[in-house]
Every structure is written in C-alpha cells, then in structure tokens.
Amino acid sequence: WRSCPEIDDSSAGCPATSSDTALLGLAIAVFFFGIAFLIMSRKPERIPLDAAGPFGKLD
C-alpha cells in the first residue's frame, strides 16, 4: 500500500502514476492476446481420409 502525504484522504488510496497505468495497459494487452491465442488453438484440424487409417474402410 502506497502512502500519499500530499492527499488528505489517503485512506481512499493514491492516484495511479503513469508507470502504473502503463503496466495495467500492458497486462490487459497480454490478457487479450492470450485469449485470442487460446481461441485460435481450439480450431480443429482436418485430416485427410487416407491418414485416418483402416478404420474408415469397412469392406
């Protein structure tokens, strides 16, 4: 917890500094990139029928 002697109502917390804001922006960007990569990785891959092996042939 950061102390703010210049603010009388310091129990409400200190205002964010520019480095705090930049770090929060970076964390949000990493979060959204992670969600996007997670969604892209769940796309199923199609394999050709001959790669499925003998299970597709019931002759």
Side-chain angles (χ1 to χ4, degrees), residues 16-27:
T17 61
S18 62
S19 62
D20 292 339
T21 307
L23 187 61
L24 179 64
L26 178 66

Side-chain angles (χ1 to χ4, degrees), residues 16-54:
T17 61
S18 62
S19 62
D20 292 339
T21 307
L23 187 61
L24 179 64
L26 178 66
I28 290 172
V30 167
F31 173 75
F32 283 120
F33 277 121
I35 294 295
F37 285 135
L38 181 67
I39 290 171
M40 288 184 342
S41 70
R42 293 181 50 90
K43 188 176 7 174
E45 278 189 39
R46 303 275 320 220
I47 60 170
L49 290 177
D50 58 338

Side-chain angles (χ1 to χ4, degrees), residues 1 8-9 12 20 33 36 42 48 58-59:
W1 190 264
D8 291 336
D9 190 18
D20 292 339
F33 277 121
R42 293 181 50 90
L58 297 175
D59 293 5

